[in-house]
Amino acid sequence: MGIIEFAKKRTLPLAMVTGIAAYLIYDSIPALAPAGPYLDKAVGLIQPVLIFIMLFLSFCRISPRELRPRKWHLKALLFQCGIFAGLAAILAVLPHFEERVLVESAMLCIICPTATAAAVVTGKLGGDMSGITTYTVLINIAAGILVPVMIPLIHPVEGLSFFTAFSMIMAKVFPMLICPCLFAWLVRYLMPRFHRRLMQSGNLAFYIWGVSLSIAIAVTTRSVIHNSTSFLLEAGIAAVSLACCALQFRSGKLIGRKYNASTTAGQALGQKNTVFAIWMGYTFMTPVTSVAGGFYCLWHNIYNSWQLERKEKCGENPS
């Protein structure tokens, strides 16, 4: 197998290793420290552009008529929202619960919306790209409503009203979700020749996701290494995020199995927008809980890598 062919078949693992290695090399060379602020700005500019292009290419393959609710959507929404509300109720009743940070970490991992890149991975796994895209929109709306309602019960913040929190969440997630979709549909109907060429781009969106993932893993590595949390608490958060990851992938597959959507529902519940989880931890929860999003990023991408490997070797997805 040639180097290029190997890289194509191992895109996600290589992206993860590259991201971790890149940050560790940077962190171990003191002379590179002054470049830190400039690298932060570069990441802040490059990452949204990569995600926009990736989503645009993915949406070009989805007709607006295909974006309709599926039967499994309601069950998946009830699963996520129900567990989140239940954990919030526990903390509201037990405000001095000793393991509060771990419960908050679980809440973040559960309610965090589906990753915008989930459609790309789902397509590679043979799932329903339009179905998971519709669910991504629905869960973002649900999180935008439920989080502002429940968070004041466990973390009252003076001056933070429901509408303020709701607008903060919508402003964070919707521009990068809706704008590529609208732009893709404009191209579909106004520039059909260009649209046909884009449809021949093959796995370009997946490889762009690999580059974006590498950057995200580098940022995750930084947050985990330089976190001031004790090792024991950090290990506990890592374990909670791993348990939530396994629970959601498995539950999604079980929910979707009845509707012949096991892969799609599994990705919808299991693959998360971890950047949103990290932001929500800093903004609404105890700040240390943001580490849960970083660990979750590792777990769901490791599992996705295994699924893609299984798909490549056996031609089927794990159930």
Side-chain angles (χ1 to χ4, degrees), residues 21-295:
Y23 183 77
L24 291 178
I25 292 172
Y26 162 80
D27 195 49
S28 64
I29 302 176
L32 295 178
Y38 301 100
L39 291 174
D40 278 340
K41 290 182 180 179
V43 168
L45 292 173
I46 294 172
Q47 189 78 319
V49 172
L50 290 175
I51 293 175
F52 187 96
I53 295 173
M54 174 193 65
L55 289 177
F56 167 70
L57 292 172
S58 299
F59 284 133
C60 280
R61 298 179 178 277
I62 300 173
S63 168
R65 297 176 181 178
E66 296 175 331
L67 293 182
R68 62 184 187 281
R70 270 61 165 178
K71 292 182 179 180
W72 59 268
H73 285 169
L74 179 59
K75 291 185 178 180
L77 285 170
L78 290 174
F79 174 86
Q80 279 190 258
C81 296
I83 294 180
F84 176 80
L87 292 174
I90 291 174
L91 292 184
V93 174
L94 303 173
H96 303 295
F97 185 57
E98 291 184 1
E99 308 302 332
R100 182 183 187 88
V101 169
L102 297 183
V103 177
E104 288 184 17
S105 298
M107 291 173 64
L108 281 178
C109 293
I110 293 294
I111 198 58
C112 182
T114 306
T116 50
V120 177
V121 178
T122 301
K124 289 284 288 184
L125 292 171
D128 178 11
M129 292 180 66
S130 58
I132 197 170
T133 300
T134 304
Y135 186 79
T136 302
V137 174
L138 293 174
I139 188 58
N140 272 285
I141 294 173
I145 295 172
L146 190 59
V147 171
V149 169
M150 302 305 297
I151 290 302
L153 299 178
I154 58 175
H155 269 287
V157 178
E158 187 176 351
L160 186 65
S161 66
F162 168 82
F163 291 104
T164 300
F166 178 78
S167 61
M168 288 172 65
I169 294 174
M170 292 298 102
K172 188 74 176 177
V173 298
F174 262 65
M176 289 305 299
L177 182 65
I178 300 301
C179 291
C181 181
L182 296 177
F183 189 45
W185 291 347
L186 286 174
V187 170
R188 171 185 288 268
Y189 293 114
L190 299 181
M191 295 181 281
R193 288 186 179 180
F194 182 50
H195 180 262
R196 284 194 293 269
R197 290 186 179 182
L198 291 173
M199 292 291 285
Q200 298 171 359
S201 61
N203 291 322
L204 180 58
F206 182 71
Y207 299 135
I208 292 175
W209 164 236
V211 176
S212 178
L213 174 61
S214 185
I215 296 173
I217 290 294
V219 174
T220 296
T221 303
R222 179 184 65 178
S223 67
V224 171
I225 290 178
H226 295 289
N227 194 279
S228 58
T229 310
S230 68
F231 174 79
L232 188 61
L233 180 57
E234 198 163 305
I237 294 174
V240 167
S241 64
L242 176 59
C244 289
C245 184
L247 171 67
Q248 291 182 100
F249 270 113
R250 184 58 181 167
S251 298
K253 288 179 181 294
L254 291 175
I255 290 172
R257 184 175 295 173
K258 180 180 178 181
Y259 308 101
N260 196 29
S262 180
T263 295
T264 308
Q267 294 302 122
L269 285 184
Q271 189 172 345
K272 300 289 189 179
N273 182 354
T274 53
V275 174
F276 176 82
I278 293 171
W279 171 80
M280 195 163 67
Y282 276 119
T283 306
F284 299 114
M285 304 281 203
T286 306
V288 70
T289 58
S290 61
V291 179
F295 281 117

